[in-house]
Amino acid sequence: MFLSSIKADWFSNIRNELLAGLVVALALIPEAIAFSIIAGVDPRVGLYGSFAIATVIAFTGGRPAMISAATGAMALLMVTLVRDHGLEYLLAATVLTGILQMIAGVVRLGALMRFVSRSVITGFVNALAILIFLAQIPEIAMASTTGYAMILGGLGIIYLLPYITKAVPSPLVAIVVLTGLAMGLGLDVRTVGDMGLLPDSLPVLAMPQVPLNLETLQIIFPVALTLTAVGLLESMMTATIVDDLTDTSSNKNRECVGQGLANVAAGFVGGMAGCAMIGQSVINVKSGGRGRLSTLASGVLLLGMILFLGDWVARIPMAALVAVMIMVSIGTFSWASITGLREHPWNSSVVMLATVVVVVATHDLAKGVLVGVLLSGFFFANKVGRLLAVYSTTTDEGRVREYRVLGQVFFASADRFIASFDYKEVIERVRIDVSSAHFWDITAVSALDRVVIKFRREGTDVEVIGLNAASATMVDRFALHDKSDGVELLGAH
């Protein structure tokens, strides 16, 4: 079993894995440089971080074929720290981020992904697709007529070549062909080299040069905590998307630990913190990557190309990479969700659209997902609260009114529960059968209190029967009415 797992993860299709890793590495270089510029650091910080993260996560991550590296979402959170305290504090925050992420994995926070609904995930994917496309707009706006032609030509190769052959990933062919044309014809177009200087030496293992004291911790901890939350959230969401693309499952808790180890490594080699990248992960999968080898190849080839082929890599036209990222944007967007707006329940569509709007408006994936999760929780609570029903009959020649409660009693249904009883009816005794109900929280117990007390004020004896064990425990601990006088609490029957 162990050997078969290793073979599946590393050696199932070596050729496709290496080619996919090469395509990803080429796309990572300008992005890592751009994210470094966003964070206010030297390009080598993003490139070294991407190399370290991709290489380490290949061995430690819980989702094969997923690409992790320096990302824009993480870079945006570093700006203030770098501006106020400098690079070394960023490296220290990166290491602390990794430690916090490992702790999150050990305490199994990855399981929290089950609370993220499909509508939120769809909104997240669509928003990310829009952001990926919007990130290309400045490059498109600066392009010359030749640049526009190259972008269109690149898209043509990417989408038409698979009809002829799938032996080589079409994005890689597009990059090679457009680079060859630009160099052969001497075209005046923006290149990767225009984004910043590429490093010419291997990263060096070193401790961040910061004082090891409480003041340093106070400076870096808030940033590290935010980086931890955003990094894990984006990684867990991306893992779920890759699960769907490959029809396989991932280990979310292992992924948390793996992300932590990767970020610790990044901090110690002078790199910035990162997380999973949905765009690059989609490129990897679409190019044939399915195992860990493609992830490892992307990191190793990234460093190899900038060190040994830096002059050639610097000549890659940005138009070629823009074409690849437009393909990623189109492929990432869930087009079925547009037609689904009319077919799906309205509340699911609201959750999806709200997630998209908040993410695109704020450029903050965490805020969008938080809004989506809160809305999902609100709609779910409202729906479950409406499933409560109370039926009544009279027995013992009209002297006893029996109410039968069905459903869930909690904060969203408590008012409905209270309003379901006729307190003014002149009757000797009321029996409330809750054997088909469950009392979930203190609000539910308080509602039962109010019902019992209202009947007592009218001089009616009250008997509550059928409380299950969990509900009976809640009532015994938190109910305010006298449970020994006129109210009989029995186990479920």
Side-chain angles (χ1 to χ4, degrees):
M1 179 67 75
F2 178 69
L3 291 177
S4 62
S5 176
I6 290 179
K7 183 178 179 181
D9 282 348
W10 291 96
F11 307 112
S12 58
N13 194 331
I14 295 176
R15 177 179 170 279
N16 279 2
E17 296 285 312
L18 292 177
L19 286 175
L22 176 59
V23 175
V24 171
L26 288 168
L28 277 176
I29 292 172
E31 289 205 344
I33 295 173
F35 299 150
S36 298
I37 294 169
I38 290 173
V41 296
D42 190 271
R44 73 179 62 207
V45 178
L47 291 166
Y48 286 164
S50 294
F51 156 70
I53 293 168
T55 303
V56 173
I57 203 71
F59 296 94
T60 62
R63 174 60 266 178
M66 188 166 77
I67 303 298
S68 296
T71 66
M74 300 286 269
L76 288 170
L77 302 173
M78 304 171 185
V79 176
T80 303
L81 179 65
V82 173
R83 184 188 65 216
D84 296 343
H85 301 283
L87 173 62
E88 294 299 325
Y89 280 85
L90 171 61
L91 301 182
T94 297
V95 173
L96 181 57
T97 296
I99 294 170
L100 293 175
Q101 289 178 329
M102 284 189 282
I103 293 172
V106 170
V107 300
R108 308 185 73 80
L109 285 185
L112 293 177
M113 269 304 295
R114 69 180 186 271
F115 296 110
V116 180
S117 70
R118 174 56 54 181
S119 299
V120 176
I121 293 175
T122 302
F124 171 87
V125 170
N126 288 348
L128 210 48
I130 293 171
L131 289 180
I132 290 171
F133 181 78
L134 292 177
Q136 311 313 311
I137 297 298
E139 197 64 44
I140 294 173
M142 288 188 288
S144 60
T145 304
T146 305
Y148 288 129
M150 294 188 77
I151 292 172
L152 292 175
L155 289 171
I157 293 171
I158 289 170
Y159 285 108
L160 297 178
L161 183 64
Y163 290 105
I164 302 172
T165 177
K166 295 184 179 179
V168 182
S170 60
L172 177 59
V173 174
I175 292 171
V176 171
V177 169
L178 293 181
T179 303
L181 282 174
M183 293 173 62
L185 300 178
L187 300 177
D188 183 19
V189 292
R190 273 173 56 83
T191 64
V192 170
D194 295 327
M195 298 288 290
L197 292 175
L198 299 178
D200 54 6
S201 62
L202 288 168
V204 178
L205 192 65
M207 283 281 291
Q209 299 301 303
V210 296
L212 299 178
N213 54 33
L214 185 60
E215 182 181 355
T216 298
L217 184 62
Q218 289 174 335
I219 292 171
I220 66 174
F221 184 77
V223 178
L225 191 62
T226 307
L227 288 170
T228 298
V230 172
L232 289 183
L233 180 61
E234 191 164 347
S235 298
M236 295 303 100
M237 300 285 277
T238 304
T240 300
I241 293 162
V242 177
D243 288 351
D244 290 343
L245 288 174
T246 60
D247 196 25
T248 54
S249 61
S250 57
N251 185 331
K252 303 294 194 299
N253 292 311
R254 177 178 174 180
E255 184 62 33
C256 291
V257 175
Q259 290 286 335
L261 288 168
N263 278 316
V264 169
F268 283 137
V269 298
M272 60 196 284
C275 62
M277 306 178 75
I278 185 172
Q280 306 300 344
S281 298
V282 171
I283 290 178
N284 190 40
V285 173
K286 300 278 188 187
S287 299
R290 290 295 183 274
R292 297 180 182 275
L293 183 59
S294 58
T295 305
L296 176 63
S298 68
V300 173
L301 291 173
L302 165 67
L303 185 64
M305 284 190 294
I306 60 178
L307 291 182
F308 304 112
L309 300 173
D311 291 341
W312 293 92
V313 171
R315 299 182 186 183
I316 295 175
M318 287 302 298
L321 298 172
V322 168
V324 172
M325 296 312 295
I326 290 175
M327 174 211 74
V328 171
S329 175
I330 294 172
T332 301
F333 196 91
S334 175
W335 299 99
S337 65
I338 302 298
T339 56
L341 288 174
R342 291 183 298 176
E343 302 168 1
H344 295 163
W346 68 269
N347 49 6
S348 295
S349 297
V350 168
V351 169
M352 188 272 286
L353 291 172
T355 304
V356 171
V357 170
V358 174
V359 171
V360 173
T362 64
H363 285 226
D364 190 328
L365 297 166
K367 288 178 181 176
V369 172
L370 178 61
V371 168
V373 169
L374 290 176
L375 277 176
S376 294
F378 170 77
F379 287 133
F380 175 76
N382 185 58
K383 184 175 182 178
V384 174
R386 292 178 179 274
L387 298 178
L388 180 72
V390 179
Y391 303 98
S392 70
T393 57
T394 56
T395 60
D396 199 9
E397 298 180 350
R399 289 177 297 185
V400 177
R401 170 69 68 179
E402 180 168 322
Y403 290 93
R404 179 173 172 80
V405 184
L406 290 82
Q408 313 302 312
V409 187
F410 64 114
F411 63 88
S413 60
D415 289 343
R416 186 184 181 93
F417 173 75
I418 294 170
S420 299
F421 300 91
D422 183 2
Y423 305 102
K424 299 299 182 181
E425 182 182 19
V426 180
I427 200 161
E428 292 181 11
R429 188 173 186 82
V430 166
R431 182 181 297 116
I432 304 175
D433 181 358
V434 294
S435 58
S436 298
H438 189 97
F439 290 78
W440 285 99
D441 54 17
I442 294 177
T443 305
V445 174
S446 175
L448 181 61
D449 267 337
R450 291 177 62 184
V451 170
V452 171
I453 292 170
K454 280 189 174 188
F455 275 121
R456 282 183 178 169
R457 285 175 180 167
E458 301 298 328
T460 305
D461 291 332
V462 183
E463 177 187 14
V464 179
I465 63 172
L467 279 167
N468 59 38
S471 298
T473 300
M474 289 282 293
V475 171
D476 284 338
R477 290 184 60 188
F478 302 113
L480 301 177
H481 64 263
D482 185 354
K483 295 177 282 293
S484 63
D485 182 17
V487 179
E488 184 179 352
L489 301 176
L490 305 175
H493 62 268

